[in-house]
């Protein structure tokens, strides 16, 4: 089948031909006619199979055949809205809109936090047909009265699974309240959990369903491999592999921002050009690192999960899991950065004994066993014992036989959610947190469970506290109490008592507020958003925080 058979207009076919595409991918061949028909749609495909073109092409076609709409002030009104979870993904989607729509009389813009609002306001005043945005910055504009969404005809939620994982469901509901009741709504995602399908049932009107691969599958074009190694030999093994195989353009994943920084510094000292990308980096630094990596000037890009969403590089040959993710679905997203659009790719995971539980859950999710290969000179110690994995103030038990395993998200808001908290210019200054800033990149919330497992959330790049070492009822206690840090990035602050800390309270940051067991109300604090988050784990005894700070 060719793109001509899908009913696309000549300007779009001309742009597609210039990009070098001749045949649609499976998701494109099914999604494009479905979107053109005008109904709601939920579509899933493996990462790298062309989901973005699957909705941008029919979206452009539909808007180009309609008449431009003017708002009450006579300006060109936004007729299509695309929501993405991260800045990088927003930028990539909007670039695709411009690429495919270059011969159409349509305008577009990208909107995200971390940069000034005034240039965005200036573009909105000139009028925009298609807006690609992250939820937080979009709501900022809506609250300031600089954005009118009352004429939107098409809504797209891209990477819907990540939206849910990051806690954006409440923001999505706020955005929906700003949109017309009658519109076409589309959900596109790399993976679809049962929770996502339940969400779609509430948000979409009799949606069509397209799944071109089984759920949480990994592409056949990706060769996956495990290298067992001791925890203290990972850096040396990574440098050895890069040199031995003469790897270039290697995307390396770590769990935490500080770990990404340390690894990039180590590789640089070994003569391997490397840079880290995460929520604490300025937008300018992130853009520069991506540009150098795409051009091949940078050999290694070290990234956290959230910052890497939206990285779309043709023929990216290597992805390395320097540390396995504690959320199994993240593995699918990570290795999906390679082997895209039918190209071959390689995904290597460096696994120590502490992560065997994570590996077990990943293999269960993807329904396959990943082959192991011990690298000579880096044989793991057969007598090594698994140790807890520390993520900020949280402790993960990822070894086999431990209470950990792969944690699943269970809501909870990020620190610094309220406007004016956390420093850095109100909501804009602390968006990508918990793991990568605050709200926009890191509402991972508390993926917490037995032993205080979870991804810390907090504004200003500072992790929230208060879920450490909670005791469950099954362990013979109801837990003690602890103090939680909220947005500690400046004038914000705020403290909440959250989680259990074996009965040993920690010092609070600024104000304090008591919370009894089962009390879900905010626990006071300063003038910023609160800190700790609630959650649950898939393994071991469950321990729920006593409140959310």
């Amino acid at each position: 089948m060719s793109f001509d058979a899908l009913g696309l207009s000549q300007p779009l076919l001309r742009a597609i031909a210039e990009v070098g595409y001749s045949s649609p991918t499976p998701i494109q061949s099914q999604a494009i006619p479905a979107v053109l028909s005008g109904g709601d749609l939920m579509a899933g495909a493996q990462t790298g199979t062309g989901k973005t073109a699957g909705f941008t092409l029919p979206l452009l076609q539909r808007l180009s055949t309609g008449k431009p709409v003017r708002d009450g002030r006579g300006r060109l009104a936004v007729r299509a809205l695309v929501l993405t979870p991260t800045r990088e993904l927003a930028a990539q989607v909007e670039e695709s809109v411009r690429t495919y729509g270059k011969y159409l009389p349509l305008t577009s813009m990208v909107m995200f936090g971390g940069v000034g609002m005034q240039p965005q306001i200036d573009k909105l005043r000139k009028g925009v047909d298609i807006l690609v945005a992250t939820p937080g910055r979009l709501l900022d504009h809506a609250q300031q009265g600089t954005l009118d969404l009352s004429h939107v005809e098409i809504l797209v939620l891209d990477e819907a699974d990540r939206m849910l994982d990051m806690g954006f469901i409440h923001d999505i509901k706020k955005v929906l309240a700003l949109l017309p009741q009658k519109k076409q709504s589309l959900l596109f995602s790399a993976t679809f959990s049962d929770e996502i399908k339940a969400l779609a049932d509430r948000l979409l009107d009799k949606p069509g369903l397209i799944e071109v691969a089984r759920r949480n599958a990994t592409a056949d074009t990706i060769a996956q491999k495990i290298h067992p190694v001791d925890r203290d030999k990972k850096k040396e093994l990574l440098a050895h592999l890069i040199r031995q195989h003469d790897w270039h353009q290697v995307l390396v994943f770590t769990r935490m921002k500080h770990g990404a920084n340390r690894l990039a510094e180590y590789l640089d000292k070994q003569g391997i050009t490397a840079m880290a990308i995460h929520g604490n980096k300025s937008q300018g630094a992130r853009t520069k690192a991506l540009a150098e990596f795409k051009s091949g000037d940078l050999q290694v890009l070290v990234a956290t999960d959230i910052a890497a969403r939206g990285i779309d590089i043709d023929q990216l040959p290597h992805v390395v899991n320097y540390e396995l993710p504690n959320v199994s679905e993240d593995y699918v997203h990570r290795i999906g950065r390679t082997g895209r659009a039918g190209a071959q790719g390689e995904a290597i995971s460096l696994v120590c004994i502490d992560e065997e539980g994570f590996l077990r859950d990943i293999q269960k999710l993807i329904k396959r066993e990943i082959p192991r290969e011990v690298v000579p000179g880096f044989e793991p110690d057969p007598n090594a014992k698994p140790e807890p994995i520390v993520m900020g103030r949280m402790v993960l038990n990822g070894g086999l036989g431990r209470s950990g395993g792969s944690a699943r998200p269970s809501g909870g808001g990020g620190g610094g959610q309220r406007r004016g908290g956390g420093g850095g210019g109100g909501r804009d200054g602390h968006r990508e947190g918990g793991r990568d800033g605050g709200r926009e990149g890191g509402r991972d919330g508390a993926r917490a469970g037995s032993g205080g497992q979870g991804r810390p959330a907090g504004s200003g790049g500072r992790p929230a506290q208060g879920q450490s070492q909670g005791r469950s009822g099954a362990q013979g206690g109801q837990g003690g109490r602890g103090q939680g840090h909220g947005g500690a990035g400046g004038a914000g602050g705020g403290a909440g008592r959250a989680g259990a800390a074996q009965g040993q309270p920690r010092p609070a940051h600024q104000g304090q507020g008591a919370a009894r067991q089962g009390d879900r109300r905010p626990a006071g604090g300063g003038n910023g958003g609160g800190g700790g988050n609630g959650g649950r784990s898939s393994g071991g005894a469950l321990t729920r925080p006593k409140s959310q700070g």
Side-chain angles (χ1 to χ4, degrees):
M1 178 186 291
S2 67
F3 281 103
D4 303 66
L6 297 178
L8 296 174
S9 63
Q10 283 302 316
L12 287 174
L13 293 174
R14 179 182 174 190
I16 293 169
E18 289 184 1
V19 176
Y21 299 145
S22 56
S23 300
T25 63
I27 185 66
Q28 292 166 2
S29 62
Q30 294 186 52
I32 290 175
V35 177
L36 288 176
S37 70
D40 288 0
L41 178 69
M42 183 168 67
Q46 298 163 347
T47 297
T49 53
K51 294 192 311 297
T52 302
F55 65 79
T56 55
L57 288 170
L59 180 151
L60 288 165
Q61 170 102 348
R62 294 203 65 206
L63 294 184
S64 64
T65 56
K67 294 182 179 180
V69 177
R70 300 283 174 176
D71 62 17
R73 300 178 183 178
R75 300 176 302 191
L76 199 63
V78 176
R79 290 191 288 154
L81 172 63
V82 182
L83 288 179
T84 72
T86 65
R87 305 171 185 177
E88 283 72 25
L89 184 56
Q92 178 223 316
V93 170
E94 199 270 335
E95 182 182 3
S96 295
V97 170
R98 284 187 282 110
T99 299
Y100 297 130
K102 61 190 299 185
Y103 298 115
L104 295 174
L106 298 172
T107 58
S108 64
M109 71 169 285
V110 63
M111 175 188 292
F112 49 68
V115 297
M117 291 183 68
Q118 192 57 48
Q120 297 172 353
I121 293 173
D122 294 340
K123 287 185 178 180
L124 289 172
R125 285 175 178 166
K126 295 178 181 177
V128 175
D129 292 294
I130 304 164
L131 175 62
V132 184
T134 51
R137 176 51 65 92
L138 181 139
L139 289 174
D140 286 341
H141 279 282
Q143 289 181 2
Q144 294 193 20
T146 56
L147 177 62
D148 179 10
L149 298 176
S150 62
H151 300 281
V152 168
E153 301 169 9
I154 303 173
L155 169 68
V156 181
L157 301 183
D158 194 17
E159 300 288 14
D161 54 343
R162 178 57 70 181
M163 289 271 197
L164 193 65
D165 285 351
M166 291 169 62
F168 276 127
I169 180 60
H170 300 297
D171 280 354
I172 291 172
K173 289 180 179 178
K174 291 178 182 178
V175 173
L176 289 174
L178 301 172
L179 304 178
Q181 188 72 24
K182 185 179 180 181
K183 62 186 176 300
Q184 182 179 24
S185 299
L186 315 171
L187 264 73
F188 279 76
S189 181
T191 59
F192 274 125
S193 63
D194 292 330
E195 291 85 354
I196 283 287
K197 291 194 172 184
L199 171 65
D201 287 341
R202 296 198 301 268
L203 296 182
L204 305 181
D205 180 23
K206 299 177 182 177
L209 175 62
I210 295 175
E211 283 189 283
V212 298
R214 65 176 175 83
R215 296 188 205 176
N216 302 315
T218 54
D220 294 333
T221 55
I222 304 173
Q224 303 174 58
K225 187 185 299 182
I226 297 294
H227 287 316
V229 62
D230 289 333
R231 69 181 71 87
D232 58 349
K233 296 290 182 64
K234 281 192 176 186
K235 289 188 292 187
E236 291 85 351
L237 175 56
L238 177 60
H240 169 77
L241 292 171
I242 292 172
R243 290 198 194 96
Q244 182 185 49
H245 301 291
D246 193 26
W247 285 349
H248 293 274
Q249 276 195 318
V250 187
L251 179 59
V252 180
F253 284 97
T254 64
R255 293 190 200 97
M256 300 287 286
K257 293 172 285 188
H258 60 79
N261 289 336
R262 286 201 299 262
L263 182 58
E265 290 169 3
Y266 172 82
L267 293 174
D268 256 338
K269 290 178 181 178
Q270 300 299 311
I272 300 170
T273 58
M275 291 181 69
I277 178 173
H278 52 68
N280 276 6
K281 297 284 186 179
S282 69
Q283 188 58 40
R286 290 160 70 164
T287 301
K288 179 177 182 292
L290 275 175
E292 292 185 7
F293 187 60
K294 288 183 177 181
S295 68
D297 294 335
L298 187 66
Q299 195 170 356
V300 178
L301 185 66
V302 186
T304 55
D305 290 290
I306 294 169
R309 293 304 280 260
I311 294 178
D312 187 6
I313 300 171
D314 291 337
Q315 310 296 321
L316 178 65
H318 310 288
V319 167
V320 176
N321 290 301
Y322 179 77
E323 296 165 325
L324 282 182
N326 56 299
V327 177
S328 302
E329 287 86 348
D330 284 346
Y331 177 83
V332 178
H333 290 294
R334 285 183 178 190
I335 72 171
R337 300 300 104 191
T338 186
R340 300 173 75 85
Q344 297 297 311
E346 184 178 34
I348 302 294
S349 298
L350 311 184
V351 180
C352 69
I353 192 170
D354 306 336
E355 302 168 302
E356 287 291 339
F358 298 156
L359 177 60
R360 172 199 61 202
D361 292 340
I362 288 168
Q363 292 181 144
K364 182 179 178 181
L365 177 76
I366 65 175
K367 295 179 173 60
R368 62 180 295 185
E369 185 172 348
I370 306 171
R372 294 172 179 251
E373 180 182 310
V374 175
V375 178
F378 294 91
E379 296 84 357
D381 181 359
N383 299 315
K385 303 294 184 184
E387 296 182 0
I389 297 169
V390 178
M391 289 184 64
R393 302 285 180 179
M394 305 304 146
V395 179
L396 304 177
N397 292 310
L400 283 172
R402 315 284 282 196
S403 62
S406 175
R408 293 277 304 175
S410 182
Q417 292 181 22
R418 295 187 182 181
R419 194 172 180 186
R427 298 207 303 184
D428 298 336
H430 54 273
R431 272 275 156 58
E432 298 206 3
R435 239 171 117 180
D436 273 323
R439 177 171 173 173
E440 196 160 283
R443 292 187 108 190
D444 291 275
R447 298 164 186 253
S450 177
Q453 298 182 28
R455 299 183 180 185
S459 65
R462 186 167 181 174
Q465 299 180 11
Q467 298 160 27
S468 175
Q469 300 295 338
R471 292 181 294 176
S472 72
Q475 293 171 308
Q478 293 182 347
R481 60 180 182 173
Q483 308 289 346
H485 282 294
R497 300 184 180 237
Q502 298 288 4
Q504 301 296 324
R506 295 185 180 181
H509 182 68
Q510 297 190 25
Q512 295 184 6
R516 294 182 298 275
Q517 181 178 359
D519 188 354
R520 292 284 173 176
R521 291 172 296 178
N527 57 2
N533 296 269
R536 58 192 173 96
S537 145
S538 64
L542 280 176
T543 300
R544 286 191 175 91
K546 304 305 179 286
S547 71
Q548 297 188 16

